Amino acid sequence: MNTVTQSKPESVSRMKTLINKSMSAKPVNFQGEMGATVGSIHADNPRITCRNVNVFYAENHAIQDINLDIGTNEVISLIGPSGCGKSTFLRCLNRMNDTVEGCRVSGEIKIDDVDVYSKHLDVVPLRAQVGMVFQKPNPFPKSIYDNIAYGPKIHGLASTKAELDQIVESSLRKAGLWDEVKDRLDQPGTGLSGGQQQRLCIARTLSVEPEVILMDEPCSALDPIATAKIEQLIDELRQRYTIAIVTHSMQQAARVSQRTAYFHLGKLIEVGKTSDVFTNPLHELTQDYITGRFG
Amino acid sequence: MQTPYLLFTLLILSVLAYFIGKRRSVTVVEGALRELHSLPAYYGYYTALWGLIPALFLMLVWLSFEPTWLAHQTVASLPEEIKSLPSSKLNLQLNNIKNVAAGLQVSQRVDPLIVEAAEHYNRLRKISNFALTLVVLTCSLTGIWLAHKKINKDYRARNVVEKIMTGLMILASTIAIFTTVGIVASVVFESLLFFRQVPFFDFLFGLEWSPQTALRADQVGSSGAFGAVPLFAGTLLISSIALIVAVPIGLMSAIYLSEFAGSKFRSTAKPTLEILAGIPTVVYGFFAALTVAPFIRETGELWGWVVSSESALAAGLVMGIMIIPFVSSLSDDVINAVPQSLRDAAYALGATQAETIKQIILPAALPGIVGSILLAASRAIGETMIVVMAAGLAANLTANPLEAVTTVTVQIVTLLVGDQEFDSPKTLSAFALGLMLFVVTLALNVIALHIVRKYREQYE
């Protein structure tokens, strides 16, 4: 933590020089007193609040002093060049980083006012509440039915076979996959196409009725048609869930999200309404990235 | 030239040929390497292979026919009275001639006729040897010359070399297959001889094993009994005990090592476990006989049970310890090979570690785990030394692990140790036992494969 506090003024001054160098002098907005992030870190109706989040992989300081709120029924997209820490940040929210050896997290993350990194917190209900969809579709090597039924079974969400069938069907319907697979529920999920597999994984996540869904580049391995289906799905899911999505596609971020956060080298550089960030970025680094000058 | 020297010369020639071919390819295009079809090295390999393979093949054929030809020529030179001897006696004479020719001491006084024949034999061998050297070297040089002549910028040397290499790989892979076929054939052949003397069903279903054959009909204990059931029962008993010990311990340690242990602990614990596999089975044997068996007997006596000093339990327990590393090390590898993405998927659904392991990881790793258990089982079934030392030689038909039993492999060893006649049922029964063992393990493998195919969950 010490190194972090020391680095704050330095990063501010570095940013100032960066801004001074900027060709088109933009108004700089330092809302929220904490650290170097420009734009507003606050959401209207916050469900997740992160304060001073730092992550270390052994000696490597992967993300530094992140402050960010994520609102209810909001899709926030996390963008930035590879290795900037956006996936790491995402994995903090449901403590998936626990499985990485040598990973250390400090700071405060609260979901619905519950401290995620509290010693007393049990990660099992947390992860049921905060679902996650991964970059590469990772269906279990089980049947399509069992892929969806696995979560409800381990959490005891269904007491009868009929209830379980009901959950499976409604999850698959929500993920827009039901019509394609309803006649072959007993076939292995690994036999589906890439886009179908990813929607199966989304359906699996929905089956345990989470409140927050984290998506780590869910479309990076998919073709444009499958991507379009999943983007449409994300838009529909927004009505019921809070969604954070990591993406490398600026267009995707612009299409699906209401707010956008730009990460750079482990720091959160800029947060704002997606329309603002993409049309009128406050920070030079953000502008460079979204106009494709690097990254 | 003697064969090893000839081989060595051939190798040197082909190395030279490599450089000749390579140089030739470069001079043919006057250094403009882009115009060559293949890289210069391929022209080198091409030339070298032409210098080596036909010559080697010729040599092999020559050497395999040489002894027959020599024998034939030597016999032809012998006087009529020896030539007309029956073939077994003729062979004896021929052996004598060969021994004398090789300068070996022959026990009886040597017949001058034989000495003369031996000299003739040696002369013939020299001629043959000289001719072989000449032919092989000529063949090699001709090959190199032909290859050298063929090299031009459009010649596809790489394709030819690749084809030859593929052929060599096919040859290598078939050697193992042919060896297996050969072993099976020889065992089957000897077993058939055995079954001509002992009825097949008496062997398969007989309940008594006492493999002795009488020299005279009126001898005491002349009635040999060749019922294999007690041996297979003993093998099954000891192997089951071993697997009951090894599978749970091995699997649980594999799960601990791959899922729970830190990388530091794992990197020391795994090699340490594998040391177990490096202990010679003889050492396990006397550990079983001197430490475990007496301990079991004394413990049994405390409870008032009758325990023989050599027991199936002692052998099975120690054998179980011996095969733990097969189960744990291989299972650890396959569990580690299950993609992290599957674990992440389960954890992200809120599965506990136990649920993830039981319902996701173990099913995905099942084929490998079954494979490791099979390997351990075949080690247990084939294990001999521990059983000899700790479980004894008595062919009791019993399911009581506290009694002495014996196994198939132990009996095979005892049947073949020492001077034996190779046409008595006693000796031949070893081959029948071997055949049965082979069939049983093959059947086990097939069944296990079937089970794996039915229940496995295939990732990627």
Side-chain angles (χ1 to χ4, degrees):
Chain A
M1 284 304 286
N2 268 337
T3 54
V4 175
T5 25
Q6 280 163 5
S7 74
K8 264 186 208 165
E10 185 195 270
S11 62
V12 170
S13 66
R14 189 169 133 253
M15 183 135 20
K16 275 182 179 154
T17 54
L18 278 173
I19 288 160
N20 288 339
K21 274 196 294 180
S22 170
M23 305 292 231
S24 55
K26 286 187 185 301
V28 178
N29 188 350
F30 283 106
Q31 269 186 23
E33 312 81 74
M34 309 155 209
T37 308
V38 292
S40 168
I41 63 160
H42 299 293
D44 293 339
N45 187 5
R47 168 167 253 161
I48 305 175
T49 54
C50 309
R51 291 293 175 268
N52 294 319
V53 176
N54 285 277
V55 179
F56 303 83
Y57 290 123
E59 294 308 305
N60 176 18
H61 198 167
I63 63 175
Q64 304 164 21
D65 273 324
I66 305 286
N67 296 290
L68 183 64
D69 289 356
I70 300 174
T72 313
N73 298 345
E74 165 183 270
V75 179
I76 184 167
S77 55
L78 314 177
I79 60 171
S82 297
C84 68
K86 48 197 193 310
S87 293
T88 299
F89 174 69
L90 196 70
R91 291 167 68 91
C92 287
L93 299 180
N94 64 345
R95 288 187 55 175
M96 284 301 284
N97 281 337
D98 291 10
T99 59
V100 180
E101 209 168 28
C103 177
R104 206 151 43 78
V105 180
S106 69
E108 184 191 73
I109 299 175
K110 280 186 173 172
I111 297 181
D112 291 337
D113 285 326
V114 176
D115 186 0
V116 169
Y117 277 90
S118 153
K119 278 204 179 81
H120 310 292
L121 183 112
D122 184 4
V123 294
V124 167
L126 169 74
R127 287 181 186 151
Q129 187 198 355
V130 183
M132 188 160 196
V133 177
F134 296 87
Q135 180 174 5
K136 233 182 102 197
N138 53 354
F140 296 130
K142 300 177 185 294
S143 71
I144 295 172
Y145 184 93
D146 287 340
N147 258 287
I148 311 293
Y150 182 70
K153 265 188 204 159
I154 57 176
H155 293 297
L157 298 183
S159 49
T160 62
K161 176 85 170 79
E163 274 181 48
L164 196 59
D165 289 349
Q166 181 55 40
I167 292 176
V168 170
E169 181 177 341
S170 71
S171 306
L172 283 170
R173 275 191 196 284
K174 278 183 216 156
L177 193 60
W178 174 251
D179 290 329
E180 290 162 60
V181 300
K182 65 182 175 207
D183 299 322
R184 44 170 175 157
L185 290 175
D186 56 339
Q187 284 174 25
T190 42
L192 297 172
S193 74
Q196 288 174 325
Q197 284 189 15
Q198 194 61 299
R199 278 181 287 151
L200 181 69
C201 294
I202 294 176
R204 182 178 65 189
T205 306
L206 299 179
S207 70
V208 290
E209 294 166 14
E211 282 146 34
V212 179
I213 300 176
L214 310 174
M215 296 184 169
D216 191 354
E217 297 180 42
C219 302
S220 67
L222 305 183
D223 68 25
I225 295 169
T227 304
K229 279 187 179 161
I230 286 176
E231 285 180 5
Q232 192 192 353
L233 176 62
I234 292 171
D235 209 44
E236 288 163 15
L237 294 175
R238 180 162 68 92
Q239 313 303 324
R240 275 170 294 204
Y241 306 96
T242 298
I243 297 175
I245 175 170
V246 166
T247 177
H248 274 298
S249 157
M250 249 72 79
Q251 289 86 344
Q252 184 170 64
R255 282 191 298 262
V256 301
S257 66
Q258 284 75 54
R259 284 168 76 228
T260 295
Y262 174 67
F263 284 72
H264 188 84
L265 295 176
K267 292 198 181 76
L268 179 55
I269 302 296
E270 178 166 353
V271 195
K273 284 207 169 93
T274 299
S275 51
D276 293 345
V277 171
F278 279 102
T279 54
N280 198 14
L282 297 174
H283 199 291
E284 196 192 13
L285 284 169
T286 320
Q287 187 178 27
D288 285 354
Y289 183 72
I290 62 174
T291 54
R293 227 172 289 173
F294 69 85
Chain B
M1 211 185 293
Q2 276 177 325
T3 322
Y5 295 119
L6 189 56
L7 266 178
F8 188 66
T9 318
L10 265 185
L11 280 180
I12 288 182
L13 265 181
S14 60
V15 170
L16 282 179
Y18 171 80
F19 289 107
I20 292 170
K22 199 171 160 184
R23 250 249 305 279
R24 167 80 182 159
S25 70
V26 176
T27 47
V28 148
V29 292
E30 288 154 352
L33 294 184
R34 294 302 301 259
E35 290 188 8
L36 272 179
H37 171 267
S38 314
L39 292 172
Y42 280 108
Y43 291 94
Y45 291 130
Y46 172 71
T47 321
L49 286 170
W50 259 109
L52 193 64
I53 289 182
L56 267 184
F57 181 72
L58 196 72
M59 195 165 146
L60 207 71
V61 172
W62 188 292
L63 286 177
S64 56
F65 285 110
E66 193 189 30
T68 332
W69 178 79
L70 278 178
H72 190 259
Q73 289 299 315
T74 317
V75 171
S77 74
L78 288 173
E80 204 52 44
E81 77 238 37
I82 301 182
K83 248 197 282 187
S84 57
L85 283 172
S87 76
S88 58
K89 291 219 168 140
L90 190 64
N91 272 339
L92 223 59
Q93 289 298 334
L94 206 61
N95 259 337
N96 260 340
I97 293 170
K98 276 185 199 162
N99 283 343
V100 172
L104 290 177
Q105 290 289 332
V106 186
S107 53
Q108 73 260 55
R109 205 171 47 82
V110 182
D111 191 336
L113 247 174
I114 300 276
V115 174
E116 198 185 312
E119 272 162 12
H120 183 60
Y121 179 86
N122 270 345
R123 264 198 308 280
L124 283 174
R125 237 176 62 160
K126 245 180 214 154
I127 292 170
S128 159
N129 215 321
F130 181 72
L132 172 68
T133 310
L134 205 68
V135 167
V136 165
L137 289 183
T138 314
C139 177
S140 173
L141 289 172
T142 316
I144 293 170
W145 180 68
L146 278 176
H148 181 262
K149 245 183 73 173
K150 234 176 176 176
I151 292 174
N152 62 50
K153 77 179 173 57
D154 292 324
Y155 191 72
R156 303 182 166 200
R158 175 172 53 79
N159 305 34
V160 177
V161 171
E162 279 169 357
K163 236 177 225 162
I164 294 173
M165 292 317 286
T166 317
L168 283 180
M169 283 184 252
I170 291 172
L171 195 73
S173 61
T174 46
I175 282 176
I177 297 173
F178 283 126
T179 316
T180 314
V181 170
I183 291 173
V184 171
S186 78
V187 171
V188 166
F189 180 71
E190 301 287 342
S191 305
L192 286 180
L193 288 180
F194 172 72
F195 290 129
R196 212 171 285 166
Q197 302 185 36
V198 175
F200 179 66
F201 288 105
D202 285 4
F203 172 75
L204 202 58
F205 300 116
L207 298 181
E208 203 189 330
W209 176 260
S210 113
Q212 50 242 334
T213 43
L215 295 174
R216 304 185 313 273
D218 56 340
Q219 211 171 358
V220 179
S222 62
S223 56
F226 293 94
V229 171
L231 304 189
F232 280 94
T235 306
L236 199 69
L237 181 63
I238 292 182
S239 304
S240 313
I241 294 171
L243 286 177
I244 287 169
V245 173
V247 170
I249 296 179
L251 256 185
M252 282 202 259
S253 66
I255 291 170
Y256 175 72
L257 283 179
S258 58
E259 295 297 312
F260 296 93
S263 60
K264 235 185 213 162
F265 179 78
R266 185 166 181 267
S267 63
T268 48
K270 209 181 166 201
T272 316
L273 249 175
E274 280 162 4
I275 287 177
L276 274 181
I279 299 176
T281 56
V282 176
V283 177
Y284 278 113
F286 59 67
F287 174 62
L290 299 182
T291 312
V292 179
F295 173 75
I296 289 174
R297 195 186 57 228
E298 280 156 25
T299 317
E301 275 165 1
L302 281 183
W303 292 80
W305 295 336
V306 184
V307 185
S308 65
S309 58
E310 293 175 319
S311 64
L313 190 60
L317 283 179
V318 174
M319 202 189 281
I321 303 290
M322 182 190 82
I323 59 180
I324 284 174
F326 289 90
V327 180
S328 70
S329 192
L330 281 175
S331 299
D332 175 50
D333 287 342
V334 292
I335 291 173
N336 256 318
V338 173
Q340 179 64 30
S341 68
L342 288 186
R343 290 184 185 92
D344 283 349
Y347 291 144
L349 279 175
T352 64
Q353 206 163 2
E355 285 162 345
T356 308
I357 291 167
K358 266 189 305 191
Q359 293 153 10
I360 305 296
I361 295 173
L362 288 186
L366 185 72
I369 291 172
V370 172
S372 74
I373 293 173
L374 264 187
L375 188 70
S378 58
R379 270 307 295 261
I381 291 172
E383 175 51 42
T384 317
M385 222 53 228
I386 295 175
V387 186
V388 173
M389 294 168 94
L393 296 170
N396 295 326
L397 181 56
T398 173
N400 181 358
L402 301 177
E403 277 186 48
V405 295
T406 190
T407 64
V408 177
T409 50
V410 168
Q411 285 307 312
I412 292 177
V413 170
T414 50
L415 288 169
L416 293 182
V417 167
D419 290 340
Q420 303 288 351
E421 14 174 9
F422 258 78
D423 54 353
S424 83
K426 184 181 170 188
T427 318
L428 290 174
S429 68
F431 292 97
L433 285 177
L435 183 67
M436 283 301 300
L437 200 58
F438 176 75
V439 170
V440 168
T441 35
L442 193 69
L444 275 182
N445 273 317
V446 171
I447 293 168
L449 264 181
H450 181 76
I451 292 172
V452 164
R453 205 168 299 150
K454 195 165 173 191
Y455 292 105
R456 79 158 148 201
E457 294 184 344
Q458 197 168 18
Y459 55 87
E460 296 308 281

